[in-house]
Amino acid sequence: MGLFDFLKSDKKKHEAAEKAAAAASAGYAAKYTEAVSATKAAAERMAAASRPKPMPHTPTPSSAAHKAVPAAPAPMPMPMPAAEKRTYTVRSGDSLSSIARLELGNEARWRELYAMNRGVVGSNPELLHPGQVLTLPN
């Protein structure tokens, strides 16, 4: 038996294995489809067999339920405590990351600081002017 005869027999074995795998896959798909349709049919039968849910009773002015329950008092609005805004006045040599490190404890929060103060800082977060007042996040 030559080298090419060995390769041909190996190729035939491989083709036979592929055909067997395709047949098994087709059988699995058919079983899966049957199971799905059976489950759907069972769910439809159960839904049809269940009794309809009763409608909840809405009290009317003449019904006893309406008279038995006193009306709830109107809620009083709670005054919101005035949140104290923390601010920082920019000094010469400051950057948003240095301010975030000093005031917020993490220089990576400079983006949050910039987002809150974009109107004050402008479009360039690296350009701060001494005297600008920045609002700090809580």
Side-chain angles (χ1 to χ4, degrees), residues 81-134:
E84 294 181 24
K85 289 187 178 181
R86 293 177 41 208
T87 59
Y88 179 84
T89 304
V90 177
R91 295 183 294 234
S92 180
D94 280 343
S95 67
L96 288 177
S97 60
S98 67
I99 297 168
R101 182 178 57 249
L102 291 173
E103 296 296 322
L104 306 176
N106 184 355
E107 67 182 32
R109 292 182 66 188
W110 73 267
R111 288 182 178 89
E112 181 182 356
L113 188 61
Y114 176 58
M116 287 186 71
N117 295 287
R118 186 176 292 239
V120 176
V121 175
S123 62
N124 187 356
E126 295 179 9
L127 185 60
L128 296 179
H129 300 290
Q132 288 178 322
V133 179
L134 305 179

Side-chain angles (χ1 to χ4, degrees), residues 3-87:
L3 176 67
F4 293 110
D5 294 332
F6 175 74
L7 290 176
K8 285 181 185 177
S9 67
D10 191 40
K11 184 177 180 182
K12 289 179 184 177
K13 289 178 187 175
H14 182 67
E15 288 173 354
E18 284 181 349
K19 286 180 184 177
S25 177
Y28 174 75
K31 288 180 184 178
Y32 176 76
T33 305
E34 290 172 10
V36 168
S37 61
T39 303
K40 185 176 180 182
E44 289 172 355
R45 283 192 309 272
M46 289 172 52
S50 67
R51 289 187 282 153
K53 295 181 181 176
M55 296 295 292
H57 175 69
T58 304
T60 61
S62 61
S63 70
H66 182 268
K67 294 174 185 172
V69 179
M76 296 292 293
M78 296 290 292
M80 295 295 289
E84 294 181 24
K85 289 187 178 181
R86 293 177 41 208
T87 59

